[in-house]
Amino acid sequence: MTMNITPEEFRFMIEDITSDLIQMLIEREGYNLPQAVEAVYTSDTYAAYIRPETALYYQSSGYIYEYLLREIRTGKLQ
């Protein structure tokens, strides 16, 4: 694990970010729960922030959300 966190802390951070992203899609973009869950878990953004070497999980949920929105709108992670 990078940045001196335990595997448990890493899992917690990922779960927290994922939950936030799903909630943001529902509240800000009008997604329903199944749509939001699918959008997050099938995204390249998700694949990026769950990889410890990217250290993306250390960013705020809002920051990662911007990546997710760009990916949803353009079809690719930017």
Side-chain angles (χ1 to χ4, degrees):
M1 208 50 33
T2 61
M3 304 257 188
N4 297 324
I5 65 170
T6 67
E8 293 79 23
E9 290 169 327
F10 178 73
R11 279 195 302 277
F12 176 78
M13 293 171 83
I14 296 303
E15 290 170 6
D16 193 45
I17 293 166
T18 303
S19 175
D20 288 349
L21 295 178
I22 290 168
Q23 185 173 354
M24 288 180 204
L25 285 175
I26 292 169
E27 292 175 357
R28 299 178 186 179
E29 304 301 318
Y31 282 50
N32 63 38
L33 181 59
Q35 290 171 324
V37 168
E38 181 177 353
V40 171
Y41 281 108
T42 61
S43 70
D44 290 338
T45 302
Y46 176 79
Y49 75 78
I50 65 168
R51 290 193 338 262
E53 65 272 12
T54 68
L56 191 56
Y57 62 91
Y58 259 108
Q59 300 299 321
S60 71
S61 296
Y63 181 86
I64 297 170
Y65 180 71
E66 292 302 317
Y67 275 95
L68 179 62
L69 276 185
R70 279 190 297 254
E71 179 183 351
I72 289 169
R73 291 179 179 147
T74 66
K76 58 185 173 185
L77 181 61
Q78 297 180 1

